């Protein structure tokens, strides 16, 4: 039990700090009512009613964001390979080269189709 005493102490200290900070901010902080402060946050843009039929919705930003996430997830798969590089031998090298080739082919396809252009 002795090795866990510092961990328990830090957890208790953190909990006390959180409780004290929340109480102090509620008591000392200004309590002025502001309608904008209590409104839901909409990225700084005031929400407007949708046009009849939904209107056109630009999806270019979301496509680029999804591609970024996909390529990030693919790159994350490189970390386990880098950690166990010495134990895998030629099989690991060939498998990772095929994986990197697949990623680069997909990236080239997206770039050639204009998926990364912001026009």
């Amino acid at each position: 039990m002795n090795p866990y005493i510092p961990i328990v102490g830090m957890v208790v200290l953190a909990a006390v700090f959180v409780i004290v900070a929340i109480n102090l901010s509620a008591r000392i902080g200004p309590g002025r009512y502001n309608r904008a402060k209590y409104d839901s946050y909409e990225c700084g843009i005031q929400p407007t009613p949708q046009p009849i039929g939904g209107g056109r919705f630009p999806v270019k930003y979301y496509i680029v964001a999804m591609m970024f996430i996909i390529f990030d997830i693919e790159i994350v798969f490189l970390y386990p390979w880098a950690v166990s590089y010495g134990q895998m031998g030629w099989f690991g090298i060939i498998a990772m080269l095929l994986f990197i080739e697949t990623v680069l082919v997909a990236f080239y396809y997206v770039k050639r189709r204009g998926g990364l252009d912001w026009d």
Side-chain angles (χ1 to χ4, degrees):
M1 185 67 182
N2 285 343
Y4 294 109
I5 290 176
I7 296 172
V8 171
M10 288 300 291
V11 168
V12 168
L13 183 65
V16 167
F17 177 76
V18 167
I19 292 170
V20 168
I22 289 174
N23 284 331
L24 280 177
S25 69
R27 294 178 196 276
I28 297 174
R32 293 183 297 263
Y33 176 78
N34 185 354
R35 184 170 186 261
K37 182 167 69 170
Y38 292 107
D39 246 359
S40 60
Y41 182 66
E42 296 287 339
C43 301
I45 301 170
Q46 290 296 328
T48 57
Q50 291 289 332
I52 297 173
R56 296 189 69 178
F57 187 77
V59 295
K60 184 74 170 175
Y61 172 78
Y62 298 105
I63 290 173
V64 171
M66 285 188 296
M67 286 188 302
F68 177 74
I69 290 170
I70 288 170
F71 285 121
D72 269 1
I73 290 171
E74 289 175 349
I75 298 303
V76 165
F77 285 124
L78 292 173
Y79 288 114
W81 174 75
V83 169
S84 62
Y85 171 73
Q87 301 167 353
M88 295 176 87
W90 284 104
F91 173 75
I93 293 172
I94 292 171
M96 195 47 59
L97 286 175
L98 289 173
F99 177 74
I100 291 172
E101 180 186 8
T102 305
V103 171
L104 289 177
V105 166
F107 180 73
Y108 179 71
Y109 174 77
V110 167
K111 184 162 177 56
R112 187 171 170 133
R113 294 277 309 223
L116 301 176
D117 295 335
W118 283 92
D119 296 345

